Amino acid sequence: MSYFKILKNGIVKENPTFVLLLGMCPTLGTTSSAINGLSMGLATTFVLILSNLIISLIKNLVPDKVRIPSYIVVIASLVTILQMLMQAYLPGIYATLGLFIPLIVVNCIILGRAEAFAAKNGPVESIFDGVGIGIGFTIALTLLGACREILGTGVLFKSDDFGIAGIPLQGESGGMLMFVLAPGAFIVLGYLIAIVNKMRKA
Amino acid sequence: MKKLSSSLLNMVIVLTLIAVIAGGILAYVNSVTAPQIEKINADNLAAGIKSVMGGGDVQVAPEETMTATIGGKDKLFAVYPVSDASGTSLGKAIKTSENGFGGDLEVLVGFDPEGTILGYTVLQHAETPGLGAKAGLWFQKDGKGNIIGMNPGKNNFTVSKDGGEVDAITASTITSRAFLKAIQNAYDTAYGNSSK
Amino acid sequence: MEYILIFITAIFVNNVVLSQFLGICPFLGVSKKVSTASGMGMAVTFVMTLATLVTYCIQKYVLDPNGLGYLQTIAFILVIAALVQMVEIVLKKVSPALYQALGVFLPLITTNCCILGVAILVIQKDYNLLEGMVYAISTALGFYLAMVVFAGLREQMELNNVPKAVKGMPLALITAGLLSMAFMGFSGVDSGLRLLFGLD
């Protein structure tokens, strides 16, 4: 498989959110705004690329029966490193994403890719797979966050953590708050997947 | 390279090795980031105290902890006495928290020596995004529910719905009540229940 | 009184699935039939209670005294994975009937984020052991309730004629959204209870 194909596979054909329907907890829990979704996507991508790389490097050194615990230790260490780095250098966004950062450990996308791809392919292919799936996940989260933000607050790309004012698209308080709250997450994602289904059939 | 077989010895060696390497790397990263995390927290606190005391050149004395019994439970307040460059007391900045709509609402509030509010900043909240989160601006000087310059010992420091003098955040009465209560508690602890 | 407050808040007001977004994968994945949903709910209740007890002890007696707080994530997930395996083996030996009922769900639980999530939340919220246990059990019951109610709705919907693109996951998500909206009706109940119990 060419590298470009691996990339495209992760973004389009096996998009983790819209097609594989994996990693739903952070998808719904952190997308109250586009920037939050983007940050979560990038955080997950960071772990995904490194875990894919490391696992493809050590795959022959790990006996089959202890495969899963070893992979979990690798992933958990990477997540902890990410946690410490974010706490030290991006404390605002770390506080916003909160619990969902340590929970990257149990994101099925990461262990899933480790098992399905990195354990069978070389390091370079595995990095590309990590980048592709990571971008696919990030795009999905940003899109979902953007839809919820526009519908819920009437502003796009606003972030207090980074001090970005955002693009106002409606009047002062021209949003339906429900879309920023929990029900909006489910409903917007439901419609987005329906649209993707429709486009794939066409 | 051939895959290692799943013999007991191999499994134990590999798992131990991975755990030791992971532990070592984490300990190293922790030793690098821990001071930075501490520094950020200290900087944020210092900047927060400066802003709630009205800015300018201020000297912050070390933290004092005060305890008060509220609603049958002991509550801790971190109090930072503040003075200007010449040592004259400017008042106190107090860290206080109260149960809001979705969890703890933590506020840093600055009082002058008489207990008049100089400024505040919301340190942490778990309120509804978009509604309760407005507390950061709503009660400031140019906000709709301005509390700057009020004195919880003299003013009726509750929301207008409860007969008080402060306008609650639209559709967030619970958050507003928790916010005012947190400041009232801080005042009562540091300045005592004075005339009202 | 505080325990009743934690109990009601965790089940209704801050429902783990519908307002905190933890445990979404099993919530969407195994909720096509009420019977499987209820089996999953029970398995989660069982493991969550045990896991919270064990992780709490590890945090307070192993990690904190040695200044190893940064190993929290890694320690917790390994403990949960090992615990799930052990529960599986013990159940198989001790109670084959219960194993029959819960067995298929157990391997799925390791990657169920509500277990790890609750274990971390109990530490973050600074609960004592008893409060933590009450919180874990109530959260698990909240998960159980959400699963069963949602599965009931989905069973009914199977028969409906909907546009092809919406069929399956999109419809499930939209239904979950409506259910989540219904649970929002409970918000504020905890503040009322706190007033009632005189905790304010």
Side-chain angles (χ1 to χ4, degrees):
Chain A
M1 225 189 319
S2 75
Y3 296 140
F4 177 72
K5 227 173 167 181
I6 300 179
L7 269 183
K8 201 179 139 207
N9 178 55
I11 300 171
V12 183
K13 209 172 128 222
E14 287 190 18
N15 186 295
T17 307
F18 293 133
V19 184
L20 302 181
L21 304 171
L22 289 174
M24 283 294 157
C25 298
T27 306
L28 294 166
T30 61
T31 50
S32 54
S33 77
I35 299 273
N36 289 351
L38 181 68
S39 316
M40 188 67 208
L42 292 178
T44 311
T45 308
F46 169 84
V47 176
L48 189 60
I49 295 174
L50 288 178
S51 81
N52 260 5
L53 170 67
I54 294 174
I55 285 165
S56 75
L57 285 174
I58 64 167
K59 62 177 186 282
N60 284 331
L61 296 171
V62 179
D64 255 349
K65 277 193 186 153
V66 289
R67 198 176 70 238
I68 301 289
S70 317
Y71 294 173
I72 290 180
V73 174
V74 170
I75 296 169
S77 314
L78 289 169
V79 169
T80 311
I81 292 174
L82 173 77
Q83 224 176 325
M84 294 194 278
L85 290 177
M86 283 184 78
Q87 230 172 331
Y89 302 104
L90 297 167
I93 195 77
Y94 177 78
T96 309
L97 298 178
L99 186 61
F100 286 99
I101 295 291
L103 287 183
I104 294 178
V105 177
V106 281
N107 188 329
C108 355
I109 298 175
I110 307 219
L111 196 59
R113 287 329 281 182
E115 268 282 90
F117 199 97
K120 291 173 193 143
N121 291 285
V124 184
E125 284 99 331
S126 298
I127 291 181
F128 273 92
D129 180 67
V131 174
I133 296 275
I135 294 178
F137 189 60
T138 308
I139 290 177
L141 257 61
T142 313
L143 184 65
L144 181 59
C147 290
R148 286 178 67 189
E149 201 182 355
I150 295 171
L151 292 169
T153 64
V155 184
L156 184 59
F157 291 122
K158 179 178 160 61
S159 171
D160 292 334
D161 300 319
F162 293 114
I164 306 169
I167 311 160
L169 297 172
Q170 299 177 35
E172 165 81 353
S173 53
M176 283 180 280
L177 191 64
M178 188 203 77
F179 284 102
V180 181
L181 304 180
F186 288 107
I187 293 173
V188 173
L189 183 63
Y191 278 108
L192 282 179
I193 293 178
I195 293 169
V196 171
N197 281 349
K198 187 92 197 162
M199 284 182 348
R200 277 166 68 210
K201 297 244 165 62
Chain B
M1 197 168 93
K2 222 179 120 272
K3 203 162 179 123
L4 276 181
S5 65
S6 293
S7 70
L8 188 65
L9 185 68
N10 277 349
M11 290 201 284
V12 173
I13 292 177
V14 167
L15 273 186
T16 321
L17 258 181
I18 290 183
V20 168
I21 294 174
I25 294 175
L26 287 184
Y28 171 72
V29 177
N30 182 56
S31 71
V32 174
T33 52
Q36 172 71 15
I37 294 171
E38 231 162 73
K39 187 173 159 281
I40 282 198
N41 288 340
D43 284 356
N44 281 349
L45 186 65
I49 292 174
K50 201 169 168 178
S51 89
V52 299
M53 296 306 292
D57 198 12
V58 296
Q59 307 271 325
V60 181
E63 174 179 329
E64 296 167 10
T65 324
M66 293 183 88
T67 328
T69 313
I70 293 157
K73 264 199 160 182
D74 279 348
K75 255 203 155 111
L76 286 177
F77 295 89
V79 181
Y80 305 90
V82 179
S83 52
D84 65 12
S86 59
T88 325
S89 170
L90 290 173
K92 292 167 180 164
I94 304 176
K95 199 151 74 173
T96 172
S97 71
E98 183 62 37
N99 235 300
F101 194 67
D104 268 350
L105 180 70
E106 201 180 44
V107 184
L108 183 72
V109 54
F111 294 106
D112 77 358
E114 277 77 52
T116 304
I117 296 169
L118 296 172
Y120 79 90
T121 175
V122 176
L123 295 174
Q124 192 189 322
H125 73 83
E127 308 303 295
T128 314
L131 274 185
K134 281 188 183 151
L137 293 174
W138 187 271
F139 301 106
Q140 301 286 13
K141 203 167 186 69
D142 39 8
K144 293 183 184 135
N146 179 16
I147 58 161
I148 311 300
M150 282 192 182
N151 184 323
K154 296 182 188 126
N155 293 86
N156 190 346
F157 203 63
T158 47
V159 296
S160 43
K161 216 179 191 171
D162 301 341
E165 296 174 30
V166 184
D167 284 331
I169 304 170
T170 321
S172 300
T173 313
I174 293 175
T175 305
S176 308
R177 277 185 188 140
F179 175 83
L180 296 181
K181 182 112 194 322
I183 294 179
Q184 181 79 52
N185 285 345
Y187 176 88
D188 290 349
T189 309
Y191 294 88
N193 266 316
S194 63
S195 58
K196 201 187 240 185
Chain C
M1 283 306 159
E2 281 140 65
Y3 301 120
I4 300 178
L5 187 68
I6 293 177
F7 185 72
I8 296 193
T9 310
I11 294 185
F12 296 107
V13 185
N14 286 329
N15 186 283
V16 62
V17 183
L18 296 168
S19 88
Q20 307 213 61
F21 300 115
L22 298 176
I24 301 282
C25 292
F27 177 70
L28 295 172
V30 285
S31 57
K32 281 204 178 117
K33 276 161 80 189
V34 173
S35 54
T36 49
S38 135
M40 186 69 187
M42 276 193 272
V44 166
T45 310
F46 194 65
V47 175
M48 191 182 284
T49 314
L50 260 180
T52 308
L53 179 65
V54 177
T55 50
Y56 185 89
C57 294
I58 289 192
Q59 177 82 22
K60 294 290 165 194
Y61 299 113
V62 180
L63 297 182
D64 280 353
N66 296 317
L68 293 173
Y70 60 91
L71 289 180
Q72 189 194 49
T73 314
I74 205 168
F76 281 17
I77 187 69
L78 284 178
V79 165
I80 291 168
L83 196 71
V84 171
Q85 287 273 311
M86 254 161 55
V87 168
E88 206 177 340
I89 296 168
V90 171
L91 268 190
K92 215 176 194 169
K93 288 251 159 68
V94 178
S95 165
L98 199 59
Y99 180 74
Q100 279 280 308
L102 306 183
V104 276
F105 303 109
L106 284 174
L108 293 173
I109 286 182
T110 313
T111 50
N112 181 341
C113 55
C114 65
I115 310 274
L116 181 62
V118 167
I120 297 177
L121 274 177
V122 165
I123 306 293
Q124 271 183 5
K125 288 180 183 242
D126 218 6
Y127 281 144
N128 62 35
L129 184 58
L130 190 57
E131 284 170 337
M133 293 316 292
V134 173
Y135 179 74
I137 295 173
S138 334
T139 305
L141 289 178
F143 179 79
Y144 183 84
L145 178 72
M147 282 294 281
V148 173
V149 171
F150 187 53
L153 290 172
R154 281 186 84 175
E155 271 188 6
Q156 294 294 315
M157 280 182 329
E158 274 301 289
L159 309 167
N160 290 350
N161 194 10
V162 294
K164 228 186 199 146
V166 180
K167 214 167 177 58
M169 197 47 75
L171 188 61
L173 279 166
I174 293 165
T175 313
L178 296 177
L179 190 59
S180 159
M181 222 185 285
F183 268 73
M184 275 186 74
F186 291 112
S187 54
V189 167
D190 53 336
S191 307
L193 281 176
R194 207 174 288 123
L195 276 181
L196 192 68
F197 294 157
L199 291 172
D200 240 354

